[in-house]
Amino acid sequence: NAGVIQTPRHKVTGKGQEATLWCEPISGHSAVFWYRQTIVQGLEFLTYFRNQAPIDDSGMPKERFSAQMPNQSHSTLKIQSTQPQDSAVYLCASSSRGANYAEQFFGPGTRLTVL
Amino acid sequence: AQKVTQTQTSISVVEKTTVTMDCVYETRDSSYFLFWYKQTASGEIVFLIRQDSYKKENATVGHYSLNFQKPKSSIGLIITATQIEDSAVYFCAMRGSNYNVLYFGSGTKLTVEP
């Protein structure tokens, strides 16, 4: 069984450029979560979809960050005009309705470096 | 609001011994879920074990077990017969009953030495 797939694994952008991160959840999982991990803030929630619908984006920075889930097999996180403080590991996780969305299974993450 | 606190920054043990990692949480939910995850050196985050708040029995999976003390809002992770490959950062996390987002502690780095 394939786990959560995230691409690219590493991305380097220049300040002001756009970055798009991709996530493919585990097949059959209907909930997708995005988290960000930094040394200073640790693991923090960004946004959450269930059955492709956005449920909560309270963790997303209000400007420059957006997320979509156009179909059940992938979600994207887009960061416009990237800034050095956006450098982090961005993690995607998915969970199953059958497990009451309890356990979340994480992808390997995308390490974003903004120069 | 949910809050998870891990006060142990790092722990070092000799292999084949037992280690306990502490975690306390705050929530106003009457029903909630508690989890432990492990992050390996490669960055992979792996789900280990879960405790549902309404269950009195401590969860056990392989050589992982939990010490759930609800009155103290505490969920400790116990690893018995530790192995070198258990070396990792361990995160405690929780979610409420009607809200699926996980809130994580800051992590405890475990080093298992020969």
Side-chain angles (χ1 to χ4, degrees), chain A residues 91-108:
Chain A
L91 292 150
C92 177
S94 70
S95 67
S96 164
R97 178 184 180 185
N100 194 23
Y101 303 110
E103 295 92 15
Q104 294 181 19
F105 296 89
F106 284 79

PDB file of all heavy atoms in Angstrom, chain A residues 91-108:
ATOM      1  N   LEU A  91       4.131  19.333   5.633  1.00  0.00           N
ATOM      2  CA  LEU A  91       3.706  17.938   5.747  1.00  0.00           C
ATOM      3  C   LEU A  91       2.235  17.803   5.399  1.00  0.00           C
ATOM      4  O   LEU A  91       1.402  18.593   5.841  1.00  0.00           O
ATOM      5  CB  LEU A  91       3.935  17.445   7.173  1.00  0.00           C
ATOM      6  CG  LEU A  91       5.414  17.320   7.564  1.00  0.00           C
ATOM      7  CD1 LEU A  91       5.605  17.548   9.049  1.00  0.00           C
ATOM      8  CD2 LEU A  91       5.947  15.950   7.178  1.00  0.00           C
ATOM      9  N   CYS A  92       1.935  16.785   4.642  1.00  0.00           N
ATOM     10  CA  CYS A  92       0.565  16.441   4.306  1.00  0.00           C
ATOM     11  C   CYS A  92       0.222  15.145   5.034  1.00  0.00           C
ATOM     12  O   CYS A  92       1.070  14.247   5.161  1.00  0.00           O
ATOM     13  CB  CYS A  92       0.434  16.266   2.800  1.00  0.00           C
ATOM     14  SG  CYS A  92      -1.201  15.757   2.241  1.00  0.00           S
ATOM     15  N   ALA A  93      -0.992  15.055   5.540  1.00  0.00           N
ATOM     16  CA  ALA A  93      -1.444  13.841   6.205  1.00  0.00           C
ATOM     17  C   ALA A  93      -2.848  13.516   5.723  1.00  0.00           C
ATOM     18  O   ALA A  93      -3.598  14.405   5.309  1.00  0.00           O
ATOM     19  CB  ALA A  93      -1.437  14.010   7.727  1.00  0.00           C
ATOM     20  N   SER A  94      -3.200  12.241   5.777  1.00  0.00           N
ATOM     21  CA  SER A  94      -4.567  11.865   5.426  1.00  0.00           C
ATOM     22  C   SER A  94      -5.119  10.898   6.459  1.00  0.00           C
ATOM     23  O   SER A  94      -4.364  10.250   7.186  1.00  0.00           O
ATOM     24  CB  SER A  94      -4.626  11.257   4.018  1.00  0.00           C
ATOM     25  OG  SER A  94      -4.019   9.975   3.963  1.00  0.00           O
ATOM     26  N   SER A  95      -6.428  10.851   6.525  1.00  0.00           N
ATOM     27  CA  SER A  95      -7.072   9.918   7.446  1.00  0.00           C
ATOM     28  C   SER A  95      -8.381   9.436   6.848  1.00  0.00           C
ATOM     29  O   SER A  95      -8.923  10.014   5.907  1.00  0.00           O
ATOM     30  CB  SER A  95      -7.277  10.542   8.822  1.00  0.00           C
ATOM     31  OG  SER A  95      -8.206  11.583   8.773  1.00  0.00           O
ATOM     32  N   SER A  96      -8.883   8.375   7.455  1.00  0.00           N
ATOM     33  CA  SER A  96     -10.035   7.680   6.906  1.00  0.00           C
ATOM     34  C   SER A  96     -11.273   7.904   7.748  1.00  0.00           C
ATOM     35  O   SER A  96     -11.220   7.894   8.975  1.00  0.00           O
ATOM     36  CB  SER A  96      -9.719   6.182   6.848  1.00  0.00           C
ATOM     37  OG  SER A  96     -10.888   5.417   6.672  1.00  0.00           O
ATOM     38  N   ARG A  97     -12.402   8.067   7.074  1.00  0.00           N
ATOM     39  CA  ARG A  97     -13.672   8.195   7.787  1.00  0.00           C
ATOM     40  C   ARG A  97     -13.945   6.933   8.593  1.00  0.00           C
ATOM     41  O   ARG A  97     -14.508   6.994   9.677  1.00  0.00           O
ATOM     42  CB  ARG A  97     -14.801   8.435   6.784  1.00  0.00           C
ATOM     43  CG  ARG A  97     -16.162   8.532   7.437  1.00  0.00           C
ATOM     44  CD  ARG A  97     -17.262   8.679   6.424  1.00  0.00           C
ATOM     45  NE  ARG A  97     -18.556   8.761   7.078  1.00  0.00           N
ATOM     46  CZ  ARG A  97     -19.702   8.808   6.449  1.00  0.00           C
ATOM     47  NH1 ARG A  97     -19.730   8.781   5.141  1.00  0.00           N
ATOM     48  NH2 ARG A  97     -20.832   8.881   7.106  1.00  0.00           N
ATOM     49  N   GLY A  98     -13.529   5.817   8.073  1.00  0.00           N
ATOM     50  CA  GLY A  98     -13.786   4.556   8.753  1.00  0.00           C
ATOM     51  C   GLY A  98     -13.130   4.477  10.113  1.00  0.00           C
ATOM     52  O   GLY A  98     -13.577   3.755  10.993  1.00  0.00           O
ATOM     53  N   ALA A  99     -12.071   5.217  10.287  1.00  0.00           N
ATOM     54  CA  ALA A  99     -11.386   5.254  11.586  1.00  0.00           C
ATOM     55  C   ALA A  99     -11.797   6.491  12.362  1.00  0.00           C
ATOM     56  O   ALA A  99     -11.084   6.915  13.272  1.00  0.00           O
ATOM     57  CB  ALA A  99      -9.881   5.229  11.369  1.00  0.00           C
ATOM     58  N   ASN A 100     -12.948   7.066  11.975  1.00  0.00           N
ATOM     59  CA  ASN A 100     -13.416   8.310  12.610  1.00  0.00           C
ATOM     60  C   ASN A 100     -12.383   9.415  12.485  1.00  0.00           C
ATOM     61  O   ASN A 100     -12.259  10.257  13.360  1.00  0.00           O
ATOM     62  CB  ASN A 100     -13.769   8.076  14.081  1.00  0.00           C
ATOM     63  CG  ASN A 100     -14.556   9.226  14.678  1.00  0.00           C
ATOM     64  OD1 ASN A 100     -15.204   9.982  13.960  1.00  0.00           O
ATOM     65  ND2 ASN A 100     -14.465   9.388  15.986  1.00  0.00           N
ATOM     66  N   TYR A 101     -11.654   9.354  11.398  1.00  0.00           N
ATOM     67  CA  TYR A 101     -10.613  10.353  11.134  1.00  0.00           C
ATOM     68  C   TYR A 101      -9.641  10.445  12.305  1.00  0.00           C
ATOM     69  O   TYR A 101      -9.081  11.491  12.558  1.00  0.00           O
ATOM     70  CB  TYR A 101     -11.221  11.724  10.852  1.00  0.00           C
ATOM     71  CG  TYR A 101     -12.200  11.744   9.717  1.00  0.00           C
ATOM     72  CD1 TYR A 101     -13.547  11.928   9.955  1.00  0.00           C
ATOM     73  CD2 TYR A 101     -11.768  11.555   8.409  1.00  0.00           C
ATOM     74  CE1 TYR A 101     -14.453  11.943   8.908  1.00  0.00           C
ATOM     75  CE2 TYR A 101     -12.678  11.565   7.370  1.00  0.00           C
ATOM     76  CZ  TYR A 101     -14.019  11.760   7.616  1.00  0.00           C
ATOM     77  OH  TYR A 101     -14.907  11.777   6.587  1.00  0.00           O
ATOM     78  N   ALA A 102      -9.440   9.361  12.994  1.00  0.00           N
ATOM     79  CA  ALA A 102      -8.600   9.402  14.187  1.00  0.00           C
ATOM     80  C   ALA A 102      -7.129   9.465  13.799  1.00  0.00           C
ATOM     81  O   ALA A 102      -6.535  10.521  13.777  1.00  0.00           O
ATOM     82  CB  ALA A 102      -8.908   8.227  15.087  1.00  0.00           C
ATOM     83  N   GLU A 103      -6.561   8.303  13.452  1.00  0.00           N
ATOM     84  CA  GLU A 103      -5.138   8.329  13.119  1.00  0.00           C
ATOM     85  C   GLU A 103      -4.924   9.082  11.809  1.00  0.00           C
ATOM     86  O   GLU A 103      -5.662   8.899  10.848  1.00  0.00           O
ATOM     87  CB  GLU A 103      -4.581   6.910  12.955  1.00  0.00           C
ATOM     88  CG  GLU A 103      -4.587   6.074  14.209  1.00  0.00           C
ATOM     89  CD  GLU A 103      -5.852   5.261  14.344  1.00  0.00           C
ATOM     90  OE1 GLU A 103      -6.580   5.134  13.351  1.00  0.00           O
ATOM     91  OE2 GLU A 103      -6.116   4.771  15.447  1.00  0.00           O
ATOM     92  N   GLN A 104      -3.908   9.896  11.801  1.00  0.00           N
ATOM     93  CA  GLN A 104      -3.487  10.572  10.573  1.00  0.00           C
ATOM     94  C   GLN A 104      -2.158   9.968  10.141  1.00  0.00           C
ATOM     95  O   GLN A 104      -1.270   9.731  10.967  1.00  0.00           O
ATOM     96  CB  GLN A 104      -3.344  12.073  10.796  1.00  0.00           C
ATOM     97  CG  GLN A 104      -4.684  12.738  11.093  1.00  0.00           C
ATOM     98  CD  GLN A 104      -4.579  14.221  11.285  1.00  0.00           C
ATOM     99  OE1 GLN A 104      -3.604  14.856  10.882  1.00  0.00           O
ATOM    100  NE2 GLN A 104      -5.589  14.799  11.905  1.00  0.00           N
ATOM    101  N   PHE A 105      -2.044   9.772   8.853  1.00  0.00           N
ATOM    102  CA  PHE A 105      -0.837   9.177   8.290  1.00  0.00           C
ATOM    103  C   PHE A 105      -0.129  10.242   7.468  1.00  0.00           C
ATOM    104  O   PHE A 105      -0.732  10.857   6.584  1.00  0.00           O
ATOM    105  CB  PHE A 105      -1.186   7.947   7.462  1.00  0.00           C
ATOM    106  CG  PHE A 105      -1.799   6.854   8.295  1.00  0.00           C
ATOM    107  CD1 PHE A 105      -3.163   6.797   8.491  1.00  0.00           C
ATOM    108  CD2 PHE A 105      -1.002   5.920   8.917  1.00  0.00           C
ATOM    109  CE1 PHE A 105      -3.735   5.804   9.282  1.00  0.00           C
ATOM    110  CE2 PHE A 105      -1.556   4.925   9.707  1.00  0.00           C
ATOM    111  CZ  PHE A 105      -2.936   4.876   9.892  1.00  0.00           C
ATOM    112  N   PHE A 106       1.129  10.433   7.785  1.00  0.00           N
ATOM    113  CA  PHE A 106       1.877  11.552   7.215  1.00  0.00           C
ATOM    114  C   PHE A 106       2.702  11.150   6.005  1.00  0.00           C
ATOM    115  O   PHE A 106       3.239  10.032   5.938  1.00  0.00           O
ATOM    116  CB  PHE A 106       2.805  12.143   8.278  1.00  0.00           C
ATOM    117  CG  PHE A 106       2.099  12.982   9.291  1.00  0.00           C
ATOM    118  CD1 PHE A 106       1.398  12.406  10.336  1.00  0.00           C
ATOM    119  CD2 PHE A 106       2.101  14.370   9.189  1.00  0.00           C
ATOM    120  CE1 PHE A 106       0.716  13.182  11.258  1.00  0.00           C
ATOM    121  CE2 PHE A 106       1.431  15.158  10.105  1.00  0.00           C
ATOM    122  CZ  PHE A 106       0.741  14.564  11.140  1.00  0.00           C
ATOM    123  N   GLY A 107       2.827  12.088   5.092  1.00  0.00           N
ATOM    124  CA  GLY A 107       3.756  11.944   3.988  1.00  0.00           C
ATOM    125  C   GLY A 107       5.157  12.314   4.433  1.00  0.00           C
ATOM    126  O   GLY A 107       5.365  12.738   5.571  1.00  0.00           O
ATOM    127  N   PRO A 108       6.129  12.184   3.531  1.00  0.00           N
ATOM    128  CA  PRO A 108       7.529  12.445   3.873  1.00  0.00           C
ATOM    129  C   PRO A 108       7.854  13.927   4.002  1.00  0.00           C
ATOM    130  O   PRO A 108       8.902  14.288   4.513  1.00  0.00           O
ATOM    131  CB  PRO A 108       8.299  11.825   2.708  1.00  0.00           C
ATOM    132  CG  PRO A 108       7.335  11.882   1.567  1.00  0.00           C
ATOM    133  CD  PRO A 108       5.979  11.687   2.160  1.00  0.00           C
TER     134      PRO A 108
END
